[in-house]
Amino acid sequence: MDPQLQQFIEVESQKQRFQQLVHQMTDVCWEKCMDKPGPKLDSRTETCFVNCVERFIDTSQFILNRLEQTQRGRGSLTESMSD
């Protein structure tokens, strides 16, 4: 496969994953924080949204880091078994 095409596909895939994450985060935080939509956010709702987004990002980062550690651990185990 052409390297430029492969890089383009990877970049577009990353964009798609990011958009999915934003959509999921929006759904979760909207359901958690929004009681009744109005013309503006009150301070309680705004604080809820900020906290929700921060926890969502923290949790997502933790899961990604844990998956990377697990993958690295499996790679090390596979390499040591083949030696």
Side-chain angles (χ1 to χ4, degrees), residues 44-58:
R44 184 191 68 78
T45 304
E46 184 176 351
T47 300
C48 180
F49 274 117
V50 168
N51 289 334
C52 182
V53 169
E54 287 176 355
R55 294 303 70 79
F56 191 94
I57 290 170
D58 290 344

Side-chain angles (χ1 to χ4, degrees), residues 62-75:
F62 173 80
I63 291 169
L64 286 174
N65 288 340
R66 186 71 175 118
L67 288 172
E68 285 177 5
Q69 288 173 355
T70 302
Q71 289 291 20
R72 275 189 256 135
R74 286 185 183 164

Side-chain angles (χ1 to χ4, degrees), residues 1-3 5 9 13 17-18 21-23 27-29 37-38 43-44 48 53 55 61 66-68 70-71 80:
M1 182 185 285
D2 178 25
L5 178 58
I9 290 171
S13 294
R17 287 191 298 271
F18 179 76
L21 185 64
V22 168
H23 182 72
D27 284 347
V28 167
C29 294
S43 62
R44 184 191 68 78
C48 180
V53 169
R55 294 303 70 79
Q61 189 63 47
R66 186 71 175 118
L67 288 172
E68 285 177 5
T70 302
Q71 289 291 20
S80 65

